[in-house]
Amino acid sequence: MVSQNVVVSDANTGIITVSNSSVFAPSAQKPPTVPGHISISKKKLLKNLELSGAQSQRLNSWVDSMRASSPTHLKSLSSLSSEEELNSWLKRHPSALDMFERIIEASRGKQIVMFLDYDGTLSPIVADPDRAFITSKMRRTVKKLAKSFPTSIVTGRCIDKVYSFVKLAELYYAGSHGMDIKGPTKGFSRYNKDKPSVLYQPAGDFLPMIDEVFKQLVEKTKSTPGAKVENNKFCLSVHFRCVDEKKWSDLALKVRSVVKNYPTLKLSQGRKVLEIRPMIKWDKGKALEFLLESLGFENSNDVFPIYIGDDRTDEDAFKLLQERGQGFGILVSKFPKDTNASYSLQDPPEVMDFLRRLVEWKQIQQ
């Protein structure tokens, strides 16, 4: 069992113990073979062929999943069926801009709390993840948003990296998919002026393992042109946006060959990225829940969370809001895809328009 650890102000960080041992049964003694010959039974040969086929099928499934989770462009609307599919999807997940008044009406008498993904939500998706810069207009908008509502950025990035992009001390930051959470710098937010900054790291004991796997992945993937491994402190990202699609299966094999040796880590996909995370019960939904509790809204009926994100990892947060029956999830996407979000926005410029309207509405109320 992995214990969780909360640090408030200058308290010491606790230790999480992770068991990572394996027990192997001794193999049965085999009869000697004739020198110069290899003895393989027909049954074993067929079994090996079955395993090879199953592994190939699993690999193909992974590559298909990588394609599905990594769309590169809007689906063509040249055919009637595609247009009907988009219209049907928009009926189920209408534009948050078009439905703005309905969202505001649902929030009447409640405290709106904002949760924002970073890549693809506040900044555009770019080929080089180190250059996913936020625009000055978006920064000003988010700054105004944080003055109007408690605001958090929930991202797969490490906090230091996303903070270097955003540079706003008045926000809550949940990095590494919520496994590293910090509150606003003291004095920068009226929502935590009486509280010290909160630090929450439920996977602290995984740090040496993450660093070890990072080094192995860098070495393993350096022969794949375009592949980039990013260390997000409590998780790792293998970006394949600049990798030739013909090389995806080879890259997936390389990544899996490393991760399979670490049973307490799990591998998943996002938008043109493979994610490696500690196998603990923690995700962006849990981070959202923790932040609401930190703000004093645990089991409260007077809170209205709004979560905006574009990636598969944001679905945990969308699902949590559905289960709580509070607030809404908004998916940033230009094309239909399965989601637990209630509404949609097409891209970061539309996200900025939505946030501006929220700020303007709040200013009128004051």
Side-chain angles (χ1 to χ4, degrees), residues 1-4 16-19 202-203 205-206 264 279-280:
M1 177 179 178
V2 179
S3 62
Q4 295 182 350
I16 304 171
T17 303
V18 181
S19 175
D205 200 49
F206 282 87
T264 55
M279 198 175 291
I280 62 174

Side-chain angles (χ1 to χ4, degrees), residues 71-317:
T72 55
H73 53 76
L74 179 63
K75 289 184 178 178
S76 172
L77 299 181
S78 58
S79 69
L80 181 61
S81 60
S82 296
E83 188 173 356
E84 288 177 345
E85 181 185 358
L86 178 61
N87 290 336
S88 175
W89 187 81
L90 286 174
K91 286 181 181 178
R92 299 192 304 274
H93 312 286
S95 166
L97 289 171
D98 294 342
M99 305 301 290
F100 185 80
E101 295 302 328
R102 180 180 293 185
I103 293 173
I104 290 302
E105 185 59 35
S107 72
R108 296 284 182 189
K110 300 178 181 179
Q111 172 65 62
I112 293 176
V113 181
M114 297 301 301
F115 298 90
L116 308 168
D117 181 32
Y118 184 75
D119 293 276
T121 300
L122 296 182
S123 74
I125 296 293
V126 294
D128 183 355
D130 289 334
R131 299 189 64 80
F133 302 123
I134 192 173
T135 66
S136 56
K137 288 183 179 179
M138 180 68 88
R139 181 180 291 107
R140 288 195 297 270
T141 300
V142 175
K143 185 178 181 68
K144 291 177 182 178
L145 184 75
K147 290 182 178 180
S148 302
F149 314 100
T151 301
S152 307
I153 290 181
V154 186
T155 174
R157 302 263 196 168
C158 69
I159 287 180
D160 291 343
K161 171 66 75 173
V162 80
Y163 185 83
S164 71
F165 289 149
V166 181
K167 298 183 177 69
L168 293 176
E170 48 268 82
L171 304 180
Y172 286 83
Y173 289 88
S176 303
H177 298 286
M179 285 182 279
D180 191 11
I181 302 178
K182 294 181 180 178
T185 302
K186 195 171 183 181
F188 277 87
S189 174
R190 61 190 177 93
Y191 299 104
N192 76 329
K193 60 183 179 181
D194 298 324
K195 300 178 182 178
S197 294
V198 177
L199 172 65
Y200 188 51
Q201 297 178 338
D205 200 49
F206 282 87
L207 287 176
M209 185 187 299
I210 293 293
D211 288 339
E212 181 180 312
V213 174
F214 171 69
K215 293 174 184 176
Q216 291 184 35
L217 286 173
V218 169
E219 182 65 26
K220 201 81 172 180
T221 63
K222 67 181 182 181
S223 60
T224 303
K228 181 179 178 64
V229 185
E230 184 178 13
N231 190 335
N232 293 311
K233 191 172 181 177
F234 291 98
C235 64
L236 301 170
S237 298
V238 181
H239 299 274
F240 56 91
R241 178 167 297 276
C242 296
V243 176
D244 188 319
E245 190 169 336
K246 295 177 182 177
K247 299 287 186 180
W248 285 8
S249 59
D250 180 59
L251 179 63
L253 276 174
K254 290 177 179 178
V255 174
R256 292 184 69 187
S257 70
V258 174
V259 178
K260 72 178 183 180
N261 297 318
Y262 297 86
T264 55
L265 298 180
K266 63 180 177 182
L267 178 63
S268 61
Q269 301 109 23
R271 289 184 66 181
K272 289 289 177 72
V273 65
L274 296 173
E275 303 275 9
I276 297 95
R277 288 184 272 168
M279 198 175 291
I280 62 174
K281 292 182 178 180
W282 198 261
D283 50 41
K284 288 186 176 182
K286 294 288 186 182
L288 184 155
E289 205 165 34
F290 174 80
L291 285 164
L292 286 176
E293 182 180 340
S294 299
L295 288 164
F297 294 114
E298 183 181 15
N299 301 321
S300 173
N301 294 321
D302 299 326
V303 64
F304 194 86
I306 297 177
Y307 188 107
I308 308 178
D310 75 310
D311 204 353
R312 180 177 291 185
T313 56
D314 298 309
E315 292 297 327
D316 294 313

Side-chain angles (χ1 to χ4, degrees), residues 8-73:
V8 180
S9 189
D10 296 324
N12 294 324
T13 304
I15 300 297
I16 304 171
T17 303
V18 181
S19 175
N20 192 21
S21 61
S22 300
V23 178
F24 298 93
S27 58
Q29 186 176 0
K30 298 180 180 179
T33 59
V34 178
H37 293 79
I38 300 175
S39 176
I40 303 178
S41 69
K42 182 178 180 181
K43 184 176 181 181
K44 184 174 181 181
L45 179 60
L46 290 173
K47 183 65 175 178
N48 287 341
L49 289 172
E50 289 174 5
L51 286 173
S52 178
Q55 289 169 349
S56 177
Q57 187 175 4
R58 284 197 297 271
L59 178 60
N60 289 336
S61 177
W62 260 84
V63 175
D64 288 342
S65 182
M66 289 165 73
R67 291 194 186 100
S69 62
S70 305
T72 55
H73 53 76

